[in-house]
Amino acid sequence: MDRLLDEARSGTFYLRQPAIADMVVEAIQYNAANLEHYLLHAFVVMPNHVHLLATPALALPKLTKSLKGITSKRANAILAMTGSCFWQEESYDHRVRTEREFEKIQRYIEDNPVRAGLVREANEYRWSSAGWVTRGSPADQGVRPTAA
């Protein structure tokens, strides 16, 4: 499924816009640090989807409703699309059962921009936990690749 998302050349790519991607990252961080909805382990905001690895502190439907609700409202305001559906209604979740599986998923999430051809090294991508500390490479400061 992720391969299809990464290779998509049509559809909406609102998350490619730096202002929207930044806002989603800030919401992910805020919901972890301030609201304590989850313990955040890894994340990535791709041009058309988001991955989040977290240990929830509340029921998953409530967590996703909170995160999707605020980011949808803010993104629609930025895009002047108030009242429109920003996120798909459904989400995919998976219970991590072992430390090995956890590490595999964390690497998968943080390497997603590399596999998609957006950067060469995971820490160069500013919209992920791998690149959050450095805010990405100098070449990536607010610039996203365009769809082919």
Side-chain angles (χ1 to χ4, degrees):
M1 175 58 106
D2 284 338
R3 185 177 54 77
L4 295 174
L5 289 170
D6 292 338
E7 294 174 358
R9 298 290 179 245
S10 62
T12 58
F13 293 89
Y14 298 128
L15 297 171
R16 179 180 290 130
Q17 296 181 30
I20 295 175
D22 286 341
M23 177 273 299
V24 172
V25 169
E26 289 167 12
I28 289 169
Q29 295 279 356
Y30 183 87
N31 281 20
N34 297 80
L35 299 181
E36 299 179 350
H37 285 179
Y38 45 83
L39 177 60
L40 182 61
H41 304 291
F43 69 89
V44 65
V45 178
M46 297 295 288
N48 61 349
H49 66 282
V50 174
H51 289 287
L52 181 69
L53 177 60
T55 302
L58 61 146
L60 202 52
K62 190 172 183 179
L63 182 156
T64 55
K65 181 179 180 181
S66 172
L67 189 57
K68 283 182 169 184
I70 192 63
T71 54
S72 177
K73 185 175 184 174
R74 290 179 181 165
N76 281 335
I78 292 168
L79 296 165
M81 295 180 10
T82 305
S84 297
C85 182
F86 184 78
W87 298 109
Q88 288 183 347
E89 189 174 321
E90 61 193 50
S91 296
Y92 172 77
D93 61 83
H94 174 77
R95 183 179 302 264
V96 179
R97 301 188 189 282
T98 67
E99 184 67 28
R100 184 175 181 201
E101 182 182 17
F102 178 94
E103 290 168 1
K104 180 181 175 186
I105 292 169
Q106 185 174 17
R107 278 191 312 276
Y108 179 87
I109 288 171
E110 292 183 343
D111 286 342
N112 201 202
V114 176
R115 282 190 311 279
L118 300 176
V119 291
R120 290 185 192 178
E121 301 285 331
N123 66 353
E124 294 174 352
Y125 194 72
R126 81 183 246 191
W127 296 282
S128 78
S129 48
W132 184 247
V133 174
T134 62
R135 301 288 281 179
S137 72
D140 186 41
Q141 294 305 305
V143 179
R144 282 199 180 262
T146 57

